[in-house]
Amino acid sequence: MDAIILQILNGLDKGSAYALIALGLTLIFGTLGVVNFAHGALFMIGAFCAVTLSRILTLSHTVIDETQKDFLGNPLKVDVPYIYDIFGQQTGDAIIDWAVPISILFAIPVMVGIGFAMERGLIKHFYKRPHADQILVTFGLAIVLQEIIKYFYGANPIPTPAPDAFRGSFDFGAMLGFDPNTIIYPYWRLVYFAFSAVIIGAVFAFLQFTTFGMVVRAGMADRETVGLLGINIDKRFTIMFGIAAAVAGLAGVMYAPINSPNYHMGMDFLVLSFVVVVVGGMGSLSGAVLAGFLLGILESFASMAVVLEILPGINQIIIYLVAIIILLTRPRGLMGRKGVMEE
């Protein structure tokens, strides 16, 4: 039982990332009809927003510290972060420690701006082009963004720690009545799952309960009719592209302490997340979220030692096997709509 609970927790952790990226992919496809293979790069850029802010907060200048002496009795030169000069050492240390959560505020305008630039500068020219053209151009854009990140940040992963308050592990076993230390799980992974749930809930609430969201949903169902009502649906869809970019970026920001940011992390998640979208059903937001969590849990169980002893390597292909089975039995995916990508 303890192993099952642990694998469910692992699956929810992986599924959170899959669901957030797949949600953004589905938002873009459902509104603009574009298959955006650059969406994984937005996840990567979000992670590097956390890296960038952490570096900015630790920028320092050299001062002479009279309280510290070298072996000759001369005062030492020490590096002091500029943030100490503004907020003081205690507050400055706290801000540096909480750099990743603070990066959310930094990443939102950055990611929305990048989303607008991508949509207005490139994506809009491919609305009426075949999906194959969309895939090629967005995949090419993803490679360009990947190489830009590699040029400025290097090829090696960059450790980006979580705040000290969340670096330990939570004892689930003791809470559920098991022996202490039977089921322990990192605090930050639990934070990531809770954060993902909040973001997913916020996106669905925005689409369901706001006038803007209702117009967008109407446009997803029948774009021409909404346009005939005098509503500038294209402008609203552009805003949705920015929101989808922000969702992917925020997913990357909070994932940085779990998986040290590197230039190819977006591509690693993109393929799996696109499979999640297809399994959930192209254009179905709820299907993308459901499939993300289900496939995350399935992949986690497939990684168990007892399973790998019987079927070595099954954890690497289980998602694709499930996708094949679902598409053979339900070609539109779990919750796909009729007519989507069926022309």
Side-chain angles (χ1 to χ4, degrees):
M1 180 59 69
D2 57 336
I4 291 174
I5 294 173
L6 186 60
Q7 294 309 318
I8 290 174
L9 290 173
N10 284 331
L12 292 176
D13 168 37
K14 292 180 180 179
S16 297
Y18 295 158
L20 280 177
I21 301 174
L23 181 63
L25 276 168
T26 305
L27 276 173
I28 292 173
F29 180 79
T31 54
L32 301 173
V34 174
V35 182
N36 180 23
F37 259 64
H39 203 69
L42 298 175
F43 175 80
M44 171 197 66
I45 293 172
F48 277 93
C49 282
V51 172
T52 301
L53 186 65
S54 296
R55 290 184 173 181
I56 291 174
L57 292 177
T58 53
L59 287 174
S60 60
H61 59 98
T62 302
V63 299
I64 296 176
D65 188 352
E66 297 289 347
T67 64
Q68 300 185 52
K69 308 288 185 179
D70 61 16
F71 69 97
L72 295 176
N74 299 317
L76 291 176
K77 293 181 179 180
V78 296
D79 292 329
V80 177
Y82 286 106
I83 200 168
Y84 286 6
D85 300 333
I86 302 173
F87 297 103
Q89 182 174 352
Q90 185 175 359
T91 304
D93 283 336
I95 292 174
I96 292 172
D97 181 41
W98 286 78
V100 171
I102 294 173
S103 298
I104 292 173
L105 302 177
F106 173 65
I108 290 174
V110 170
M111 298 309 303
V112 170
I114 291 174
F116 283 171
M118 284 176 58
E119 196 276 336
R120 290 289 86 188
L122 179 66
I123 304 297
K124 72 173 185 179
H125 302 293
F126 289 84
Y127 287 163
K128 297 181 180 180
R129 300 279 289 273
H131 290 306
D133 291 356
Q134 297 170 359
I135 291 172
L136 285 173
V137 73
T138 54
F139 186 75
L141 177 61
I143 293 175
V144 170
L145 293 173
Q146 181 174 290
E147 292 303 313
I148 290 174
I149 291 294
K150 182 180 178 182
Y151 176 80
F152 284 103
Y153 293 91
N156 296 321
I158 303 174
T160 309
D164 288 337
F166 297 104
R167 291 189 191 178
S169 296
F170 179 69
D171 193 342
F172 261 101
M175 185 184 73
L176 298 175
F178 293 94
D179 293 333
N181 298 321
T182 302
I183 307 173
I184 57 175
Y185 206 71
Y187 282 118
W188 189 255
R189 291 178 180 267
L190 297 174
V191 170
Y192 188 78
F193 171 68
F195 175 80
S196 301
V198 170
I199 295 297
I200 291 169
V203 170
F204 276 91
F206 175 73
L207 292 174
Q208 190 71 30
F209 301 115
T210 66
T211 303
F212 186 98
M214 286 187 281
V215 171
V216 168
R217 285 190 293 115
M220 291 172 69
D222 193 339
R223 182 173 185 154
E224 292 184 2
T225 300
V226 173
L228 291 174
L229 295 175
I231 298 173
N232 188 348
I233 194 65
D234 290 339
K235 181 179 179 180
R236 292 174 185 260
F237 281 179
T238 298
I239 294 174
M240 288 307 300
F241 195 102
I243 292 174
V247 169
L250 293 179
V253 167
M254 296 297 281
Y255 206 76
I258 297 174
N259 183 13
S260 297
N262 57 78
Y263 73 97
H264 57 77
M265 67 184 300
M267 205 65 73
D268 295 341
F269 273 92
L270 171 68
V271 176
L272 290 172
S273 297
F274 195 80
V275 172
V276 169
V277 171
V278 173
V279 169
M282 294 295 292
S284 172
L285 297 174
S286 54
V289 173
L290 175 64
F293 284 111
L294 288 178
L295 292 179
I297 292 173
L298 189 63
E299 183 182 16
S300 179
F301 275 101
S303 300
M304 295 177 67
V306 63
V307 176
L308 292 176
E309 287 180 4
I310 300 172
L311 299 169
I314 188 65
N315 59 318
Q316 301 294 323
I317 62 172
I318 186 66
I319 288 181
Y320 306 103
L321 290 177
V322 172
I324 292 171
I325 294 170
I326 289 178
L327 292 179
L328 285 174
T329 55
R330 294 181 62 89
R332 297 185 186 124
L334 295 175
M335 304 178 72
R337 292 178 290 136
K338 182 178 180 180
V340 177
M341 290 192 79
E342 292 181 351
E343 65 275 4

